[in-house]
Amino acid sequence: MNDTITVIYIISDRRSGSTLLENILSKSTETVSVGELAMLKGHIAKQGPGEIWHWNCSCGQPVLQCSFWSKALNGIYNDNFETKITWPYKSSKALMAAMLPVIAKNNLKQFIQTKKNRQTTESLDVLYQAIAKTSGKNFIVDSSKDPLQGLSIQACANVEAKYIWLSRDLRAITFSKLKRWKVNKRSEKKPLETLTDSFYYKKICSATLKSLQQNNFIKIEYEDVAANPQHQLDKICSFIGLKNYEAPQYMELSEDHTIAGTPGRFERKPIAADNSWKTFYSTHKVLNFLGKVFNSL
Ligand SMILES: [Zn+2]
């Protein structure tokens, strides 16, 4: 038996279907899905995003009382335990990396080499091993999304990373973020700013993946996953080296112990593309045009 621990890391923006993809991948008998591992520490401390579900594990229990996490974290949860890589999102160095990825690729690497991030990487390395041991699975699905969080796995000595870049139409992402913020009143950002921010984030994702070896990642479109989950799943399985299996027709949790994700994940829903954003752009023509341009860059 091959004992290599492989982290299947999903890179994407928010509102791009990463929870859907994570849920589809969790149905393999060879994987364990942990949701957004970067948020684990925040969920234990009950701080930051996650208030809507009281920072509980998807099983409904507080993380340290959940049957899975209490076991996985036993002996490794201490004062130095960290799970989230932090980096200066809108710094000139990040901007350089986004716009000139070939010249500025070292900028991204420097971000993950700060003292705090190196400590986080060490925690993550130990944590992935504990997850593999607790679950008995050597493929761990981590949908933390953040590209630099993903890049930091390269520095984990005991695990290998394979990346899935889940991309979505920037107009759909923008619409979905605005809708979400309206519900939870988290941001006052306007449509144009949200669109350009999403474009910037996409360029950071792209620059991060350019700094990896070509055979280490696969790019998947959300629209293709929603339209034909089986076809995209087969592509992913062959890329990762997983046995093929039948794609689910519904997005639903079943005995999962996942951290964070889309607030709608607790409902069983058929897998289908959400095209509600299209109506919005029939009355926002300039934004629509700009979105199309950004999609093509
Ligand atoms: Zn749980």
Side-chain angles (χ1 to χ4, degrees):
M1 189 182 146
N2 185 355
D3 282 334
T4 310
I5 299 170
T6 303
V7 178
I8 305 168
Y9 188 90
I10 301 172
I11 290 182
S12 81
D13 200 343
R14 282 168 289 174
R15 318 301 302 159
S16 300
S18 61
T19 309
L20 169 66
L21 182 59
E22 169 263 297
N23 191 257
I24 292 174
L25 293 174
S26 75
K27 308 299 181 206
S28 159
T29 53
E30 298 173 280
T31 64
V32 57
S33 179
V34 292
E36 300 178 21
L37 198 63
M39 313 270 273
L40 182 66
K41 171 99 184 271
H43 275 54
I44 295 172
K46 296 195 182 282
Q47 278 169 1
E51 195 177 357
I52 307 173
W53 48 90
H54 307 294
W55 297 278
N56 285 339
C57 171
S58 65
C59 70
Q61 291 294 317
V63 174
L64 292 180
Q65 284 156 40
C66 143
S67 58
F68 178 78
W69 289 109
S70 60
K71 217 186 262 177
L73 291 165
N74 187 23
I76 63 170
Y77 180 60
N78 55 31
D79 289 348
N80 295 326
F81 184 79
E82 284 295 338
T83 55
K84 194 174 180 354
I85 295 291
T86 52
W87 53 283
Y89 180 60
K90 284 219 169 143
S91 62
S92 52
K93 270 190 176 178
L95 194 68
M96 277 279 285
M99 297 307 155
L100 302 163
V102 180
I103 299 166
K105 94 176 170 193
N106 283 332
N107 289 5
L108 296 174
K109 293 204 170 134
Q110 279 170 19
F111 288 155
I112 57 169
Q113 281 162 356
T114 61
K115 190 169 174 246
K116 181 164 180 287
N117 282 342
R118 285 208 312 265
Q119 191 181 323
T120 304
T121 307
E122 277 173 31
S123 281
L124 288 170
D125 198 5
V126 173
L127 182 57
Y128 284 130
Q129 292 173 78
I131 290 166
K133 198 172 165 214
T134 306
S135 64
K137 307 282 168 72
N138 283 343
F139 290 95
I140 300 168
V141 182
D142 180 348
S143 55
S144 294
K145 308 193 291 280
D146 185 294
L148 289 173
Q149 175 94 17
L151 192 62
S152 75
I153 308 171
Q154 298 277 307
C156 292
N158 298 294
V159 299
E160 276 181 11
K162 292 251 181 186
Y163 301 89
I164 303 171
W165 180 15
L166 181 64
S167 173
R168 188 183 183 190
D169 192 309
L170 289 167
R171 294 168 299 172
I173 294 177
T174 299
F175 173 74
S176 189
K177 283 180 182 171
L178 291 166
K179 203 171 89 178
R180 187 81 237 132
W181 288 334
K182 221 173 160 181
V183 174
N184 61 19
K185 302 183 179 72
R186 274 185 91 94
S187 170
E188 293 287 318
K189 269 190 214 163
K190 298 280 179 278
L192 180 62
E193 193 188 356
T194 309
L195 178 68
T196 47
D197 265 7
S198 304
F199 173 59
Y200 172 62
Y201 187 87
K202 174 183 144 180
K203 296 311 275 181
I204 294 269
C205 292
S206 167
T208 305
L209 289 161
K210 275 188 184 134
S211 75
L212 298 170
Q213 280 173 338
Q214 201 68 27
N215 60 359
N216 237 350
F217 72 91
I218 186 172
K219 188 179 180 196
I220 297 283
E221 307 289 338
Y222 160 78
E223 290 79 3
D224 294 339
V225 175
N228 190 343
Q230 188 70 61
H231 184 61
Q232 298 308 311
L233 177 61
D234 291 347
K235 251 166 78 178
I236 293 171
C237 285
S238 100
F239 162 67
I240 308 275
L242 290 172
K243 287 184 215 116
N244 284 72
Y245 62 98
E246 199 180 330
Q249 292 184 343
Y250 289 85
M251 174 168 153
E252 62 183 327
L253 296 164
S254 55
E255 294 169 36
D256 299 46
H257 295 286
T258 52
I259 301 299
T262 184
R265 68 192 181 284
F266 299 102
E267 254 173 77
R268 182 181 196 252
K269 269 183 296 223
I271 297 171
D274 176 3
N275 288 322
S276 58
W277 59 275
K278 289 188 177 166
T279 331
F280 173 79
Y281 287 95
S282 60
T283 53
H284 291 77
K285 297 236 189 293
V286 176
L287 200 69
N288 189 43
F289 172 76
L290 203 58
K292 274 192 198 165
V293 173
F294 284 166
N295 278 335
S296 68
L297 294 175

